[in-house]
Amino acid sequence: IPFCSLPLGHKTDDKMRAFAEQVFASETKDENIRDEISMFDVADDCPILHHEMAHHLHTDDDVEKRKKRHERSRTMAQGAPAAIEHWEVDTPTYLEVPDFQRVAIIGDYASGVTMDDFELSCKGLYRALTIREKYMRLAFQRFPRTASKYLRDIDGEPFKPDDQLQPVFTPPPKNGEDPFDTKNLPKNLGYVARMKDGVIYVYNDTAAADKHQPKDLPCPDYATFIDDMNFLIALIAQGPTKTYTHRRLKFLMSKFNVHEMLNEMEEMKELKMNPHRDFYNCRKVDTHIHAAACMNQKHLLRFIKKSYRVDADRVVHNLKGKEVTMKELFQSLNLHPYDLTVDSLDVHAGRQTFQRFDKFNAKYNPVGASELRDLYLKTENHISGEYFATIIKEVATDLEEAKYQYAEPRLSIYGCNPNEWTKLSSWFVKHRVFSPNLKWMIQVPRIYDIFRGRNFVPHFGKMLENIFLPVYQATIDPQSNPELSIFLKHVTGFDSVDDESKHSGHMFSTKSPKPEEWDIVKNPSYTYYIYYMYANIAKLNQLRRERGMNTFTFRPHCGEAGAVTHLLACFMTADNISHGLNLKKSPVLQYLYFLSQLPIAMSPLSNNSLFLEYAKNPLLEFHKKGLVVSLSTDDPMQFHYTKVRALADIPSNVESCELCYILWQQCKFSRGEAHFLGANYLKEGPEGNDIRKTNVAQIRMAYRHETLCYELNLIKEGLKAE
């Protein structure tokens, strides 16, 4: 897609840019979280709201404005239903929506804010949505059709379904087909890939590379990204928009409560009349789980004892330059596996890890011994990661036997050297770590400062090059590294991980040094990482799509702690995120995540041990408001006791099945595997829901779709004057 054809919107003016930089500068302060987010926060009693209401009560609208409000009130009464597609007479029974009681609001459609504030808010929200749509289309990531239809309607352009781009999936192997077969790899294109200013460019040949004449793989340049980010920073701190979105979110919560009160029995009736399907045989995907902790602590303990019984005399480790057997290794640690218990294993996170990410990371070391972590939980060690592969395959076998459970475990690429990809893919192929119930993600820890301090890399640009250049080269010439090419077929996306609460002291702006110039022993900001990861993934996806290969989604950890600007950067760039707790501190961002239906994988049990008590977790609040949230395990070894992946107290089966349905919206299983959702799963609303497969009530799907259409229609009405 030509970059110039995408909706760029207006440039941010100097006044708004200056305001955005003032707001963003708060991230450089090493102070309490409350001070850092105070500009974005709206308290429950909403003093801004009181001020606006007092102003509104003492200000008489002129005749023209009162007439304008009256006319729009009339149009809004019919606005949302018109946007909802009507069913044909011959609609299959399972697609029909039973009659249910709808919640209608008659009167002031603008939630009591002044007309000027309403129009200002709608204008800002519209531009924010076009920004996200632009970035999603460039990277072949998902943007909801419903929102896109309204944006085209506002632009006065026809909606073209063909413009809706989807990630490219790797189909599951057919019966008898070897998932590790390298015979049909595409041929070498002869292109040259080089990094410049932190981004990989692709050239037709070496001569073009020397002249910097890259192929047309569009991506938002540095200045465009900064300008879009400045606009969004100013928007989420804008008083009228904060008030408006705060009121809309309050309304959405109340509306759901009323809907549930009126229609709960009818929704349950739908589920009871649905034969065969219930919560237990709905397909579920764990979209946020780390491979090194994908087993529970009892599973790990059992495996350690079994491996000792079988391989006690096997050389398994290099201890201070000397090869030692497993028996000798345990003796050096003054341990015997027979004496180990889940308590002495000490991998479970508890109260002592709260607000202590360093102590949490230490829980990856069984009995506090890094030697055992290296032996059992690493892909690269003296036995080539054999034990780690075996544990993962045992977890995969459990999932296959359960039949209805899937997972997307994360493996690490650090960026220390370019051979990491070759070693990881060799481990994957050598041990045949494949399962139809598993897809893989690559997590990139944000620990450049550690690598630079140890002279592993000369600058940040080299770390980015080590992460992305091997993937570009395997895309251009798959036969040059067949094992990596096979492994990439089963990789669904990239993640960015680390402790978000750490302050970098760096404000991402046009004055920030380029990655090749970042040679200090100091970590760049979160947003700096996010932009350069997104830029490389976007270009890579365009190249891979041209070749008919699978593409990758960008799904970082975000909003678990730290500044609200983390969530802003991911609103622009991420297909979906993990955690998202800090959304409750920014009403504008929370409302934008709702409008764009940006999926969020939440982990209440993980948060309970690290950053937020279980009772305060906003999962159910977000779910009621209509945000696309789901449940995930994060690290079963640290947070769970059994194989059962039940993670929170869900009020009813209606909610449970809806959360399972959302899991499939987040994951990247192929169309061949997504038949579990029904033939029309790409459509939105009740039309895309096959209750026979999902066990999600059609009444609930209709409510969600109509509510989203109503909110988007508000923005459309607010922009009529434009």
Side-chain angles (χ1 to χ4, degrees):
I1 302 171
F3 179 57
C4 59
S5 68
L6 295 170
L8 292 173
H10 302 291
K11 289 288 183 181
T12 307
D13 57 40
D14 293 337
K15 183 178 179 181
M16 182 167 282
R17 185 181 298 108
F19 177 56
E21 290 179 355
Q22 179 186 356
V23 172
F24 196 28
S26 64
E27 191 173 357
T28 64
K29 298 178 181 179
D30 188 6
E31 54 190 18
N32 293 333
I33 297 299
R34 171 62 193 174
D35 293 333
E36 187 171 356
I37 63 169
S38 59
M39 294 195 71
F40 307 101
D41 198 8
V42 174
D44 290 337
D45 54 0
C46 195
I48 297 176
L49 168 63
H50 294 165
H51 174 76
E52 294 292 332
M53 181 61 72
H55 175 75
H56 179 59
L57 290 176
H58 291 88
T59 304
D60 292 327
D61 287 346
D62 56 31
V63 176
E64 184 177 349
K65 284 189 177 180
R66 285 200 301 271
K67 181 179 178 181
K68 192 176 182 181
R69 292 170 68 91
H70 179 66
E71 289 176 352
R72 291 208 187 157
S73 296
R74 292 167 56 190
T75 60
M76 280 308 303
Q78 303 297 327
I84 301 172
E85 299 178 9
H86 295 282
W87 312 118
E88 301 294 336
V89 176
D90 58 350
T91 299
T93 304
Y94 63 87
L95 286 178
E96 292 179 355
V97 180
D99 292 333
F100 68 99
Q101 300 185 63
R102 289 172 168 83
V103 181
I105 305 299
I106 307 299
D108 191 356
Y109 61 91
S111 298
V113 299
T114 64
M115 182 56 61
D116 290 339
D117 287 353
F118 174 61
E119 291 178 351
L120 178 67
S121 300
C122 291
K123 185 177 180 181
L125 293 170
Y126 161 71
R127 184 179 168 189
L129 289 173
T130 60
I131 287 173
R132 173 164 173 80
E133 183 184 34
K134 172 180 66 176
Y135 285 84
M136 291 303 98
R137 290 177 64 187
L138 278 173
F140 294 100
Q141 298 187 125
R142 294 165 283 203
F143 188 81
R145 288 193 175 202
T146 303
S148 189
K149 287 179 182 178
Y150 275 93
L151 294 179
R152 299 293 77 75
D153 197 13
I154 293 171
D155 294 335
E157 299 174 359
F159 173 75
K160 299 177 182 178
D162 293 340
D163 290 343
Q164 291 301 111
L165 304 175
Q166 291 286 332
V168 179
F169 303 93
T170 298
K174 300 177 182 178
N175 291 335
E177 184 179 350
D178 183 7
F180 300 93
D181 181 27
T182 60
K183 295 179 181 178
N184 298 318
L185 292 176
K187 296 181 180 179
N188 183 12
L189 292 176
Y191 294 158
V192 175
R194 290 183 185 175
M195 172 162 283
K196 180 179 173 58
D197 295 336
V199 180
I200 303 289
Y201 290 88
V202 179
Y203 308 87
N204 284 324
D205 49 40
T206 305
D210 293 338
K211 298 176 182 177
H212 189 54
Q213 297 175 342
K215 291 181 63 63
D216 184 23
L217 301 174
C219 173
D221 58 57
Y222 191 73
T224 301
F225 181 86
I226 295 293
D227 189 73
D228 291 337
M229 183 184 70
N230 282 339
F231 170 78
L232 290 173
I233 290 173
L235 179 67
I236 66 175
Q238 192 177 67
T241 307
K242 287 165 65 178
T243 301
Y244 175 72
T245 54
H246 176 71
R247 282 176 155 250
R248 295 314 306 168
L249 291 168
K250 287 283 188 181
F251 167 74
L252 289 171
M253 173 70 88
S254 301
K255 184 178 181 181
F256 179 83
N257 289 334
V258 175
H259 165 82
E260 192 173 43
M261 179 182 68
L262 296 175
N263 299 290
E264 184 177 14
M265 299 305 296
E266 290 300 316
E267 289 178 339
M268 284 301 301
K269 181 180 177 182
E270 276 195 83
L271 268 55
K272 290 178 180 178
M273 294 179 64
N274 188 30
H276 174 66
R277 193 70 60 191
D278 58 25
F279 169 74
Y280 291 95
N281 59 17
C282 287
R283 260 73 181 189
K284 309 164 190 71
V285 188
D286 195 347
T287 58
H288 174 202
I289 180 172
H290 301 275
C294 66
M295 73 301 293
N296 62 63
Q297 54 184 341
K298 184 62 177 178
H299 185 168
L300 178 61
L301 177 63
R302 189 169 58 245
F303 184 86
I304 290 174
K305 292 186 174 185
K306 178 183 176 182
S307 65
Y308 187 86
R309 289 196 303 269
V310 176
D311 293 334
D313 297 322
R314 178 184 180 184
V315 176
V316 296
H317 190 69
N318 192 306
L319 187 63
K320 297 179 180 179
K322 177 186 176 183
E323 291 185 339
V324 296
T325 64
M326 184 180 294
K327 185 176 182 179
E328 292 170 335
L329 175 62
F330 275 91
Q331 286 175 347
S332 70
L333 298 172
N334 295 319
L335 294 172
H336 192 287
Y338 179 80
D339 300 323
L340 287 178
T341 65
V342 290
D343 297 321
S344 60
L345 201 62
D346 195 28
V347 295
H348 206 268
R351 285 191 289 268
Q352 70 276 16
T353 61
F354 197 76
Q355 297 290 345
R356 289 294 303 273
F357 210 86
D358 55 335
K359 287 190 174 183
F360 167 73
N361 282 334
K363 291 293 182 179
Y364 278 95
N365 299 323
V367 298
S370 59
E371 294 87 352
L372 295 186
R373 178 180 184 177
D374 179 75
L375 177 60
Y376 290 104
L377 303 177
K378 292 286 187 179
T379 60
E380 185 182 349
N381 53 30
H382 197 76
I383 57 174
S384 302
E386 178 185 331
Y387 288 160
F388 187 38
T390 304
I391 293 174
I392 290 178
K393 287 193 283 188
E394 288 180 0
V395 172
T397 300
D398 290 340
L399 295 176
E400 292 170 25
E401 291 176 353
K403 186 178 179 181
Y404 301 104
Q405 296 178 21
Y406 301 77
E408 291 182 293
R410 287 155 166 78
L411 295 168
S412 294
I413 289 291
Y414 297 94
C416 286
N417 65 75
N419 296 324
E420 290 179 33
W421 280 103
T422 300
K423 293 177 181 178
L424 182 61
S425 57
S426 176
W427 167 84
F428 178 79
V429 174
K430 177 181 179 179
H431 300 293
R432 300 183 70 83
V433 193
F434 172 81
S435 168
N437 291 54
L438 293 181
K439 293 290 184 180
W440 298 91
M441 284 189 61
I442 298 300
Q443 63 180 22
V444 179
R446 296 186 301 276
I447 50 176
Y448 159 78
D449 53 338
I450 296 176
F451 300 151
R452 183 68 188 94
R454 298 178 181 177
N455 286 322
F456 291 164
V457 292
H459 49 72
F460 186 71
K462 189 63 178 177
M463 177 178 169
L464 289 171
E465 183 179 295
N466 292 338
I467 293 168
F468 289 105
L469 187 58
V471 185
Y472 274 82
Q473 292 171 337
T475 301
I476 293 169
D477 184 11
Q479 297 177 1
S480 65
N481 195 336
E483 289 183 339
L484 177 55
S485 300
I486 291 298
F487 176 56
L488 290 175
K489 283 186 176 183
H490 305 285
V491 173
T492 65
F494 286 83
D495 189 359
S496 176
V497 300
D498 197 31
D499 181 6
E500 285 188 72
S501 65
K502 292 191 300 187
H503 291 271
S504 68
H506 165 242
M507 186 180 78
F508 188 44
S509 68
T510 53
K511 298 178 182 179
S512 298
K514 297 293 192 294
E516 289 86 348
E517 300 168 352
W518 194 290
D519 57 0
I520 57 176
V521 186
K522 183 179 179 181
N523 225 16
S525 68
Y526 181 92
T527 308
Y528 195 91
Y529 272 98
I530 293 298
Y531 168 71
Y532 283 107
M533 287 194 67
Y534 167 82
N536 284 289
I537 292 169
K539 283 181 172 291
L540 178 61
N541 281 347
Q542 293 170 47
L543 180 64
R544 291 182 68 84
R545 187 179 175 93
E546 284 182 6
R547 302 222 64 187
M549 298 176 175
N550 63 297
T551 58
F552 307 116
T553 52
F554 186 34
R555 297 159 59 180
H557 280 50
C558 180
E560 186 178 19
V564 184
T565 48
H566 298 185
L567 289 158
L568 182 148
C570 289
F571 172 77
M572 296 170 64
T573 59
D575 180 84
N576 60 75
I577 66 170
S578 300
H579 294 300
L581 297 177
N582 279 346
L583 275 177
K584 66 178 185 177
K585 297 170 181 175
S586 174
V588 180
L589 272 177
Q590 191 180 144
Y591 192 60
L592 283 172
Y593 270 62
F594 161 73
L595 292 174
S596 61
Q597 295 289 278
L598 199 161
I600 309 165
M602 303 190 74
S603 308
L605 292 184
S606 168
N607 304 142
N608 184 61
S609 296
L610 275 169
F611 291 108
L612 187 68
E613 294 176 12
Y614 186 87
K616 297 179 181 178
N617 196 283
L619 169 72
L620 289 179
E621 175 191 336
F622 288 172
H623 176 67
K624 289 181 178 181
K625 291 175 180 176
L627 278 74
V628 183
V629 295
S630 65
L631 284 165
S632 59
T633 59
D634 196 351
D635 296 284
M637 184 175 75
Q638 275 94 342
F639 308 121
H640 298 267
Y641 291 97
T642 66
K643 295 179 183 178
V644 179
R645 302 178 187 275
L647 310 178
D649 301 317
I650 306 302
S652 71
N653 280 346
V654 178
E655 269 72 32
S656 299
C657 293
E658 186 180 9
L659 290 171
C660 292
Y661 177 78
I662 291 171
L663 287 169
W664 278 97
Q665 292 180 299
Q666 289 178 291
C667 73
K668 208 187 167 199
F669 279 76
S670 72
R671 295 186 181 185
E673 292 149 313
H675 70 273
F676 299 133
L677 301 183
N680 299 322
Y681 75 98
L682 286 177
K683 296 182 179 180
E684 296 173 6
E687 189 179 4
N689 179 49
D690 186 343
I691 190 173
R692 302 171 304 174
K693 305 280 189 179
T694 66
N695 204 43
V696 180
Q698 286 289 66
I699 291 176
R700 177 62 59 87
M701 295 296 292
Y703 166 78
R704 295 294 190 194
H705 188 60
E706 291 173 14
T707 300
L708 176 62
C709 288
Y710 184 86
E711 297 299 318
L712 289 167
N713 197 64
L714 275 174
I715 296 175
K716 174 184 168 184
E717 291 295 323
L719 289 171
K720 276 190 174 180
E722 297 291 323

